[in-house]
Amino acid sequence: MFCNNQTPPPCVCKHSHTRTQLPNLSTHTHIHFSIKVQVQLLHSYSSPPQVPHQRTSSGPHTMELFTKTLFLCLALALTNGAPAPPEDAAVNDAALPDRCAGIEFDAITPDEKGNMLFFKGSHLWPGFRGPAQPSNESFKELDDMHNIGHVDAAFRMHNTENPDDHDHIYFFLDDKVFSYYNHTLEDGYPKEIQEDFPGVPTHLDAAVECPKGECIADSVLFFKGNDVHVYDITTKTVKTKTWSHLPVCTSATRWLEHYYCFHGHNFTRFHPVSGQVSGDYPKDARRYFMTCPNFGHGGHYKVLKCSEVKIDAITTDDTGKMYIFAGPIYMRLDTSRDGLHAFPITRAWKEVTGGVDAVFSYTNKIYLIKGDQIYIYKTAAHYTLIEGYPKTLKEELGIEGHVDAAFLCPNEHTVHVIQGQKLRAVDLTASPRAVTQVLPMSLSDIDAAVCGEEGIKVFKGSQFYNYESPRLLALSRIAPVPQNITKAMMGCEE
């Protein structure tokens, strides 16, 4: 199921804040991902194996085991890095630098459309595949007006409160800063770095944006040696930290709420507030952030047809992040501009292994139901399990038995839990929480459901049904005409 094709790694994502509308995931990513994918094995993948998922569903046992094995393979293929498209053809022009030779990038940043740009000397690579090209083909003034030849650092501004700056690209060279939008130099630039970023040093090594929620405030991290200068965009103040445990970053970037320091031809993932490094790093960038012969972190895979898509759960949280779950993996649907990519559920919710049965969001928390257990996480930038969880469904929601789906409509306090052909309403403001209403349903074998401003979408296999309200979902004796899951919704093949 899912995926889109812009490309793998970094970027700042503009989140959709509409809880209900499935985004149009049309044309901008390189990686096409399917909830069910046919994978031929990962002969060279180096990440640790994932726990097989054990969720049961309504399909035949044999087909279920087969498809879940495919899910596991995909999770293995995409763990700990950005997915890579088919290998690049060899670079024929000897005058062009070859990033597959193991070079050290000067800067990495997405542009305002989410296209990732890798800079080295007077060249750049637009995207994660293909040969280099002269930088002045994309940013004419850099060479023609100023003859700078290269950049020290670059980042894409995240400042939604100031549209005049938001999504602008900033390049740094020595003591100068250049601001671009739509690949055009803004009037008045270049400027002294101190004019735009007071307190930030010159001759930088790297820079990366850090939105509020991931950092304490909307910020930019400027790297120089082992020092990190955290620039608060609103207050225009700088706090300096020393991260001697982190390699000296020659470039840095953000991708899907994770932060990467590039050094040599390797990269290290770090926490943007503490600088903490978790996991087995450094890793070779050629395996994750570009496509190179004899490199790669997964096997070849094929996007499944939309008619074969099946999801386990879907939800939109209070910040507009939309998640789909299938087997042991999940994917964000609101990041289509910067790429749609699958990850193991344990990457974001490390205590939940082997898949989920249902998921819903309420008051800055996300509820994951698995078996007779419910896990509740705070929906900050990095999900944190609330102390005392998991608990039993009986203890938390006053229900027992297998849950097929759960959803909460905007600005409401009642979660609707689907169990077989029963729709149970639970008042989340009550203490203790308990079922307040049980209604029979004509529709059966439901896989997932989500509610938003446009109503309820109920997913069953590769199709979904639209209902205006929970009451109509329960009382309708005749189901509405089913609609097919499309490529625009989830990136599958039609």
Side-chain angles (χ1 to χ4, degrees):
M1 114 169 214
F2 355 93
C3 193
N4 195 305
N5 188 29
Q6 156 75 48
T7 351
C11 295
V12 181
C13 305
K14 275 187 177 176
H15 303 315
S16 167
H17 293 283
T18 303
R19 292 186 54 119
T20 52
Q21 183 177 359
L22 285 170
N24 185 338
L25 316 178
S26 48
T27 59
H28 287 332
T29 47
H30 289 49
I31 304 227
H32 292 287
F33 162 62
S34 158
I35 280 198
K36 291 184 177 177
V37 206
Q38 298 180 11
V39 181
Q40 298 173 350
L41 196 59
L42 328 163
H43 47 76
S44 62
Y45 184 64
S46 60
S47 294
Q50 304 297 312
V51 179
H53 120 74
Q54 300 171 348
R55 184 181 187 269
T56 59
S57 68
S58 58
H61 178 74
T62 303
M63 179 59 71
E64 179 186 48
L65 180 59
F66 175 68
T67 55
K68 290 176 182 176
T69 302
L70 297 181
F71 288 142
L72 175 58
C73 292
L74 181 60
L76 284 168
L78 297 178
T79 303
N80 291 331
E87 290 181 353
D88 290 333
V91 177
N92 296 319
D93 189 342
L96 295 177
D98 180 8
R99 58 180 162 181
C100 292
I103 64 175
E104 183 174 81
F105 294 111
D106 295 330
I108 304 172
T109 183
D111 67 13
E112 63 279 349
K113 295 179 181 178
N115 303 308
M116 192 55 52
L117 306 174
F118 296 79
F119 291 85
K120 179 64 177 180
S122 60
H123 290 82
L124 67 80
W125 289 261
F128 297 84
R129 56 182 303 176
Q133 65 183 44
S135 300
N136 60 9
E137 289 184 7
S138 296
F139 302 94
K140 183 175 182 295
E141 298 87 353
L142 288 183
D143 267 355
D144 289 359
M145 288 174 57
H146 305 286
N147 195 31
I148 67 172
H150 74 284
V151 295
D152 292 335
F155 76 93
R156 184 180 69 183
M157 177 67 77
H158 181 89
N159 186 6
T160 54
E161 295 181 2
N162 188 349
D164 291 337
D165 289 338
H166 184 63
D167 273 352
H168 286 222
I169 306 172
Y170 287 82
F171 295 111
F172 298 82
L173 176 69
D174 297 334
D175 60 351
K176 296 292 190 295
V177 58
F178 300 73
S179 176
Y180 278 82
Y181 189 73
N182 282 332
H183 291 230
T184 301
L185 186 67
E186 295 288 295
D187 291 340
Y189 286 88
K191 296 180 179 179
E192 299 288 327
I193 292 176
Q194 291 297 312
E195 290 185 57
D196 270 8
F197 303 96
V200 172
T202 60
H203 299 85
L204 295 163
D205 292 324
V208 62
E209 70 283 351
C210 187
K212 183 178 180 179
E214 298 171 30
C215 282
I216 297 173
D218 283 332
S219 307
V220 182
L221 308 183
F222 291 100
F223 295 80
K224 185 170 183 178
N226 290 123
D227 290 338
V228 180
H229 306 272
V230 183
Y231 180 83
D232 187 312
I233 293 171
T234 302
T235 64
K236 297 185 180 298
T237 57
V238 176
K239 293 183 179 179
T240 301
K241 306 176 182 180
T242 300
W243 289 346
S244 55
H245 61 282
L246 196 66
V248 173
C249 307
T250 60
S251 58
T253 197
R254 170 185 180 269
W255 177 63
L256 295 183
E257 301 176 358
H258 287 82
Y259 293 77
Y260 300 87
C261 162
F262 286 76
H263 43 95
H265 57 80
N266 295 320
F267 71 92
T268 297
R269 198 177 84 189
F270 65 94
H271 191 285
V273 176
S274 66
Q276 179 181 355
V277 176
S278 299
D280 184 18
Y281 289 96
K283 298 182 185 293
D284 195 318
R286 291 171 290 184
R287 294 187 180 277
Y288 299 91
F289 286 81
M290 62 200 76
T291 55
C292 298
N294 303 318
F295 287 90
H297 63 292
H300 299 289
Y301 63 87
K302 176 183 176 182
V303 178
L304 206 66
K305 294 181 179 179
C306 293
S307 60
E308 299 171 327
V309 166
K310 183 180 183 297
I311 66 174
D312 294 334
I314 180 171
T315 190
T316 302
D317 70 16
D318 294 327
T319 65
K321 299 174 185 176
M322 176 173 277
Y323 296 97
I324 283 186
F325 298 79
I329 60 177
Y330 78 93
M331 194 181 75
R332 288 260 310 270
L333 289 184
D334 59 288
T335 59
S336 58
R337 184 182 72 168
D338 294 338
L340 299 176
H341 306 280
F343 298 99
I345 291 173
T346 51
R347 184 177 188 262
W349 304 279
K350 63 182 181 180
E351 294 83 3
V352 183
T353 60
V356 297
D357 295 327
V359 179
F360 67 92
S361 301
Y362 177 65
T363 61
N364 297 314
K365 300 180 184 67
I366 188 168
Y367 294 64
L368 286 79
I369 298 173
K370 177 179 172 62
D372 64 350
Q373 301 286 305
I374 186 165
Y375 300 75
I376 304 179
Y377 289 81
K378 296 179 182 178
T379 54
H382 304 282
Y383 289 98
T384 304
L385 184 66
I386 293 177
E387 187 176 354
Y389 287 86
K391 293 183 179 180
T392 65
L393 284 170
K394 178 68 174 178
E395 183 180 3
E396 183 65 27
L397 299 179
I399 61 176
E400 294 180 281
H402 175 75
V403 173
D404 294 309
F407 63 89
L408 193 81
C409 292
N411 305 315
E412 293 190 3
H413 305 282
T414 298
V415 61
H416 301 276
V417 179
I418 298 174
Q419 295 181 289
Q421 289 182 278
K422 300 287 186 182
L423 181 65
R424 305 180 191 277
V426 178
D427 184 356
L428 297 178
T429 64
S431 184
R433 292 168 173 172
V435 176
T436 58
Q437 187 180 44
V438 181
L439 295 173
M441 296 173 51
S442 60
L443 200 61
S444 61
D445 300 322
I446 293 172
D447 296 322
V450 65
C451 183
E453 300 295 343
E454 297 178 351
I456 302 165
K457 283 184 171 63
V458 176
F459 292 84
K460 181 177 178 178
S462 62
Q463 296 181 318
F464 66 94
Y465 302 80
N466 283 324
Y467 290 89
E468 291 184 3
S469 68
R471 186 170 183 80
L472 287 177
L473 169 61
L475 299 181
S476 297
R477 297 299 93 191
I478 300 176
V481 177
Q483 299 182 53
N484 294 325
I485 290 174
T486 65
K487 179 179 181 180
M489 292 173 63
M490 298 181 184
C492 48
E493 288 184 350
E494 295 179 335

